[in-house]
């Protein structure tokens, strides 16, 4: 059973910082002429473009967007499903839970893997254990409260928890709950086996991934019987392939290509795909231990100097980016539209200048470390620095490449910066911090916030979970160590007659090829 949802599931643990691109979506129909039929000339085939090669298809050890776009949901399915109201439903299994929400019994529904073998309790135990041991915190975090996973016969699996956990049950609808055959694990890096509507027919690194329909799929047969995902890393070449009709769509287009997209008027001749929950947040980080920025009043001066609308205007893409003052996806129920009422320190250059003068920020520069080779972040850094300068705040900018940035910011202990800007799709729970020694690269650690996230994990229902995360959101706003700036939608293009090219994800970040048709 497939159930559409608009929110993504992120494990309730502190996530590793990611320089990656996370489910709901809509298509904005173009008013221009049609780009013709399928690139292959066949109504049951589609050619799509990805700029990134995943390197591996082993989703148990990787969270590369280029992997998550094509494997979960399309090839491998989870035990359970979640609808857009946060309600859990059956997937590969039905589930029963005890009154304490600490024992889950999964009963398999008789599905088969694409190789024809039955899905057994042994496969489920193997799959969940692999995820529990995953080096990816987002996946392993779903099992933080799990004490045992055991088969009860051929068709049942019992999972015991030390306490209720939203991370666990929600994880069973997402990547941590994906089920694979134990016997085929050896080929997961190049040809993972699952029970989804497609199989990996071919994977050639830095060239293509080919999906073909699964002959043993128990659900509705997809209209698209074969999908070729061509890996074209050069942005201009990717747009040329779309313009010439060699490809039928590019579901995710990075914002360094947006200007070319507009200049070539591809948004007029093709369907512009806008996916609110396939995007990511950008935020300013002010080191909680920095010489200047450890002072909350200094952080307020920085925050009130920010003009979020100017950040959007700088990329000339108000159709793809919006200001935000919250820490969730736009589809999270507790996220509100940015305004003076929802921003803890709304734009106020006069107040920022008064604070800067009082605190001597003109003569005591703060070290702003920025990325030099990631346009998505280097341009906003340019704009922010000019805004700080206008408010009388002096920063010494150090622009470095991604490799050095990772060493300086993500791996440095303590991280070597006072100010930086970053983006990622991870949820608010990545900022959980049980003690100061556990503070991540952001340097932020709040016992009050951590307590709310722990309580959210133990919530009995979606309403309680969302309410506690909403309260956590307010704590982050108040402390102003991590200051949200903008929210960027996932943007894509497709031929006008390719239906459902912007269909919402069901599992996590996947491009639902199974929903497409001509």
């Amino acid at each position: 059973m497939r159930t559409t949802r608009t929110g993504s599931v992120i494990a309730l643990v502190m996530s590793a910082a990611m320089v990656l691109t996370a489910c709901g979506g809509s298509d904005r129909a173009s008013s221009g002429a049609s780009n013709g039929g399928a690139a292959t000339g066949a109504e049951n085939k589609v050619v799509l473009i990805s700029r990134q090669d995943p390197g591996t298809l082993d989703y148990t050890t990787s969270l590369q967007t280029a992997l998550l776009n094509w494997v979960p949901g399309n090839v491998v399915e989870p035990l359970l499903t979640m609808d857009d109201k946060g309600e859990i439903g059956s997937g590969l299994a039905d589930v029963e839970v005890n009154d304490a929400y600490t024992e889950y019994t999964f009963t398999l529904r008789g599905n088969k893997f694409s190789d024809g073998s039955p899905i057994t309790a042994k496969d489920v135990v193997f799959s969940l254990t692999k995820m529990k041991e995953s080096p990816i915190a987002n996946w392993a975090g779903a099992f933080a409260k799990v004490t045992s996973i055991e088969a009860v016969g051929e068709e049942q699996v019992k999972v015991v928890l030390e306490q209720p956990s939203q991370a666990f049950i929600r994880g069973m609808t997402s990547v941590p709950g994906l089920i694979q055959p134990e016997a085929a694990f050896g080929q997961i890096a190049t040809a993972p086996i699952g029970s989804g509507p497609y199989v990996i027919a071919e994977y050639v690194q830095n060239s293509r991934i080919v999906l073909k329909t699964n002959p043993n799929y128990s659900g509705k047969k997809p209209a698209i019987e074969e999908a070729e995902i061509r890996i074209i890393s050069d942005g201009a070449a990717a747009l040329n392939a779309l313009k010439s009709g060699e490809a039928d769509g590019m579901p995710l287009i990075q914002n360094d290509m947006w200007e070319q997209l507009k200049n070539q008027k591809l948004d007029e001749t093709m369907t512009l795909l806008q996916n609110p929950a396939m995007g990511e947040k950008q935020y300013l980080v002010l080191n909680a231990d920095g010489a200047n920025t450890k002072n909350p009043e200094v952080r307020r001066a920085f925050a009130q100097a920010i003009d979020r609308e100017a950040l959007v205007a700088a990329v000339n893409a108000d159709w793809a980016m919006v200001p935000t003052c919250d820490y969730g996806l736009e589809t999270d129920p507790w996220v509100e539209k940015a305004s003076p009422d929802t921003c803890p320190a709304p734009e106020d250059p006069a107040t920022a200048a008064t604070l800067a003068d009082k605190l001597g920020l003109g003569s005591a520069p703060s070290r702003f470390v920025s990325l030099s080779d990631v346009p998505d972040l280097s341009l906003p850094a340019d704009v922010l620095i000019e805004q700080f300068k206008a408010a009388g705040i002096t920063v010494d900018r150090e622009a470095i490449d991604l490799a050095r940035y990772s060493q300086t910011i993500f791996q440095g202990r303590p991280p070597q910066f006072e100010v930086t800007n970053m983006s990622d799709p991870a949820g608010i729970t990545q900022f959980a911090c049980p003690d100061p020694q556990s503070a991540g690269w952001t340097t932020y650690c709040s016992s009050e916030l951590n307590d709310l996230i722990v309580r959210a994990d133990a919530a009995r229902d979606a309403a309680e979970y969302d309410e506690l995360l909403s309260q956590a959101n307010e704590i982050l706003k108040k402390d102003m160590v991590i200051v949200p700036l903008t929210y960027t939608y996932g943007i894509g293009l497709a031929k006008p007659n390719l239906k459902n090219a912007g269909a919402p994800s069901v599992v996590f970040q996947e491009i639902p090829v199974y929903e497409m048709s001509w």
Side-chain angles (χ1 to χ4, degrees):
M1 182 176 81
R2 292 189 174 276
T3 310
T4 297
R5 57 176 166 174
T6 55
S8 63
V9 176
I10 301 292
L12 288 171
V13 294
M14 181 175 64
S15 304
M18 296 178 289
V19 189
L20 302 171
T21 57
C23 297
S26 61
D27 299 352
R28 191 175 81 184
S30 72
S31 58
S34 168
N35 251 27
T40 63
E43 291 191 355
N44 61 351
K45 296 183 180 181
V46 69
V47 176
L48 304 172
I49 294 173
S50 172
R51 284 184 70 187
Q52 213 178 21
D53 179 85
T56 177
L57 300 183
D58 181 0
Y59 54 85
T60 70
T61 60
S62 175
L63 43 60
Q64 282 282 351
T65 302
L67 182 163
L68 298 174
N69 285 167
W70 311 112
V71 177
N74 288 307
V75 177
V76 191
E77 296 182 305
L79 277 178
L80 302 176
T81 60
M82 182 190 293
D83 66 19
D84 56 6
K85 296 180 181 178
E87 297 296 324
I88 304 296
S90 297
L92 296 178
D94 298 319
V95 63
E96 294 181 6
V97 59
N98 68 353
D99 291 340
Y101 288 82
T102 55
E103 290 187 9
Y104 289 85
T105 301
F106 298 95
T107 302
L108 292 168
R109 305 178 72 199
N111 299 74
K112 293 181 179 181
F113 290 115
S114 58
D115 62 2
S117 62
I119 300 175
T120 67
K122 183 181 178 183
D123 294 314
V124 174
V125 171
F126 173 80
S127 299
L128 300 188
T129 301
K130 271 292 177 186
M131 284 301 196
K132 188 175 190 294
E133 298 170 351
S134 172
I136 305 301
N138 298 62
W139 310 155
F143 300 89
K145 303 302 179 183
V146 170
T147 58
S148 66
I149 305 169
E150 61 177 345
V152 184
E154 287 293 313
E155 298 180 348
Q156 284 192 327
V157 172
K158 178 181 284 188
V159 180
V160 179
L161 287 69
E162 64 185 54
Q163 69 179 54
S165 173
Q166 285 283 326
F168 170 72
I169 191 60
R170 289 168 178 257
M172 294 305 95
T173 74
S174 186
V175 178
L178 295 177
I179 304 303
Q180 60 176 304
E182 180 177 7
F185 180 70
Q187 66 186 66
I188 192 173
T190 55
I193 298 292
S195 58
Y198 294 99
V199 300
I200 301 289
E202 185 181 24
Y203 170 40
V204 180
Q205 284 196 353
N206 298 308
S207 178
R208 63 189 175 276
I209 301 170
V210 178
L211 305 178
K212 291 187 178 181
T213 49
N214 170 9
N216 291 298
Y217 182 53
S218 62
K220 180 182 177 182
K221 181 180 178 181
I224 298 297
E225 296 180 10
E226 180 178 323
E228 179 187 348
I229 294 91
R230 292 183 185 169
I231 299 163
I232 305 177
S233 59
D234 181 80
L239 291 181
N240 284 338
L242 290 174
K243 194 172 182 179
S244 68
E246 295 173 28
D248 302 311
M250 187 173 180
L252 284 178
I253 297 179
Q254 288 76 15
N255 65 13
D256 63 320
M257 296 168 62
W258 290 353
E259 185 176 357
Q260 298 176 62
L261 180 160
K262 283 287 187 179
N263 289 343
Q264 297 183 37
K265 298 184 178 181
L266 289 173
D267 58 319
E268 297 179 13
T269 58
M270 303 188 77
T271 298
L272 182 69
L273 311 176
Q274 297 171 304
N275 298 279
M278 211 70 159
E280 59 187 20
K281 305 169 297 299
Q282 184 167 154
Y283 43 86
L284 187 76
V285 181
L286 302 165
N287 193 324
D289 301 315
N292 290 330
T293 50
K294 65 184 178 183
N295 183 340
E297 287 297 283
V298 170
R299 299 201 296 269
R300 177 171 290 279
F302 272 98
Q304 296 211 262
I306 296 169
D307 179 352
R308 292 171 173 82
E309 295 286 354
L311 290 170
V312 174
V315 295
N316 192 28
D318 56 1
W319 45 274
M321 179 184 289
V322 293
T324 187
C325 295
D326 290 297
Y327 296 84
L329 300 175
E330 193 179 70
T331 48
D332 287 327
W334 42 270
V335 169
E336 300 179 284
K337 184 177 180 180
S339 73
D341 295 328
T342 61
C343 292
E347 178 196 358
D348 189 343
T351 298
T354 298
L355 281 170
D357 182 59
K358 171 186 170 184
L359 299 164
L361 298 181
S363 57
S366 298
R367 184 186 182 202
F368 191 135
V369 179
S370 67
L371 278 160
S372 61
D373 55 350
V374 180
D376 297 8
L377 293 167
S378 58
L379 176 58
D382 294 341
V383 177
L384 287 166
I385 288 169
E386 289 302 312
Q387 293 178 359
F388 298 149
K389 185 188 298 185
I393 301 171
T394 300
V395 297
D396 285 340
R397 183 177 189 177
E398 183 178 353
I400 56 181
D401 63 28
L402 180 56
R404 189 173 161 216
Y405 187 94
S406 296
Q407 295 174 344
T408 303
I409 305 296
F410 298 151
Q411 300 167 23
R413 289 293 180 270
Q416 303 299 305
F417 74 97
E418 276 199 278
V419 186
T420 191
N421 63 315
M422 181 46 56
S423 64
D424 67 48
I428 190 172
T429 57
Q430 69 171 307
F431 302 122
C433 177
D435 59 73
Q437 287 69 41
S438 303
W441 73 273
T442 65
T443 73
Y444 180 72
C445 194
S446 163
S447 59
E448 189 177 6
L449 175 111
N450 193 73
D451 177 64
L452 286 166
I453 290 176
V454 170
R455 287 167 56 197
D457 186 32
R460 298 296 182 92
D461 56 43
E464 181 185 4
Y465 173 78
D466 288 331
E467 172 56 30
L468 289 165
L469 290 189
S470 176
Q471 293 177 36
N473 184 49
E474 294 304 314
I475 298 299
L476 276 166
K477 286 183 178 182
K478 173 177 67 71
D479 290 345
M480 287 180 286
V481 173
I482 304 156
V483 182
L485 302 171
T486 58
Y487 185 83
T488 303
Y489 300 153
I491 295 297
L493 288 171
K495 289 181 178 177
N497 50 345
L498 180 59
K499 300 175 184 176
N500 297 321
S505 166
V506 172
V507 179
F508 181 66
Q509 285 192 286
E510 87 268 22
I511 306 299
V513 178
Y514 48 81
E515 295 287 357
M516 297 181 189
S517 65
W518 290 103

